[in-house]
Amino acid sequence: MRGNPFEEIEEMLDRVSKQVEEGMTSGGLQVPGSVPVNVVDTGEEYLVTADLPGYETDDIELTLSEGTLHLDAEREDDHAHEGDRYLRRERTRLSVSRRIRLPEPVEEESITAGHENGVLTVRLPKVGGDSESKAIDIE
C-alpha cells in the first residue's frame, strides 16, 4: 500500500501552524520593519511604549493624524571605514514604522513623549480633539 502523497505537506503545514500559534501567544510574532509596542488604556489616557534600541531621539518622528499615532524611525550606520572588507553588510540603513489607531479621541495639546534607553513612551490623555495632524515633540 502506498502512503498518503500529501503527508509531508500536511506535516509541514502543521509545523508552520504550530509556530504561528506559539508566536501569537508569546507575543513573538513580529512583522519585519515594524516596531513592537504595548498600548495600555489607563482609563484617563492611552500609554504607548515602543522598543527602539539603537535609535536616538532625533531619529524618531511622531505624529497624530485622524485618530492614528504614526511612529517612524530611521537611522544610518556611519561607521564604515575605507579599506574595510565586508563579507556582508546589512546594517547600513534601518527604518521602522508603526501605526496605532486609537479607539477614542485624545487631547492633542496634552500629549507628551519621552525616549530613554531605547524605549519610547507616549502619553495620550483622553478627551475631545480635532482631526488636524499634530507633530509630537520627544523630550
Side-chain angles (χ1 to χ4, degrees):
M1 253 176 95
R2 287 187 72 180
N4 181 354
F6 299 106
E7 187 173 349
E8 286 181 38
I9 294 173
E10 289 172 357
E11 286 175 10
M12 180 190 67
L13 290 174
D14 286 342
R15 284 193 310 268
V16 169
S17 178
K18 184 177 180 181
Q19 288 174 342
V20 169
E21 286 175 17
E22 287 173 358
M24 291 176 80
T25 58
S26 69
L29 193 61
Q30 173 89 24
V31 176
S34 177
V35 178
V37 299
N38 287 347
V39 181
V40 178
D41 183 347
T42 68
E44 296 179 3
E45 68 182 1
Y46 297 109
L47 178 63
V48 177
T49 52
D51 291 337
L52 292 166
Y55 289 89
E56 300 295 326
T57 300
D58 291 341
D59 298 335
I60 305 167
E61 182 178 321
L62 276 178
T63 55
L64 181 69
S65 178
E66 299 178 7
T68 301
L69 181 66
H70 299 259
L71 187 162
D72 297 290
E74 186 172 332
R75 72 171 187 229
E76 218 169 303
D77 181 15
D78 58 356
H79 300 292
H81 301 284
E82 246 181 82
D84 285 347
R85 293 181 38 161
Y86 288 94
L87 299 178
R88 176 173 282 187
R89 185 165 185 216
E90 298 176 348
R91 297 185 60 223
T92 57
R93 185 178 202 164
L94 184 60
S95 108
V96 294
S97 67
R98 189 68 186 259
R99 304 293 180 257
I100 302 162
R101 181 83 177 142
L102 302 171
E104 295 178 41
V106 295
E107 187 59 51
E108 295 182 11
E109 297 304 318
S110 300
I111 297 171
T112 60
H115 181 246
E116 188 175 343
N117 296 327
V119 178
L120 176 71
T121 303
V122 185
R123 294 182 176 280
L124 303 118
K126 294 180 182 180
V127 183
D130 54 35
S131 61
E132 292 182 30
S133 291
K134 164 116 173 73
I136 302 163
D137 291 330
I138 303 170
E139 298 174 9

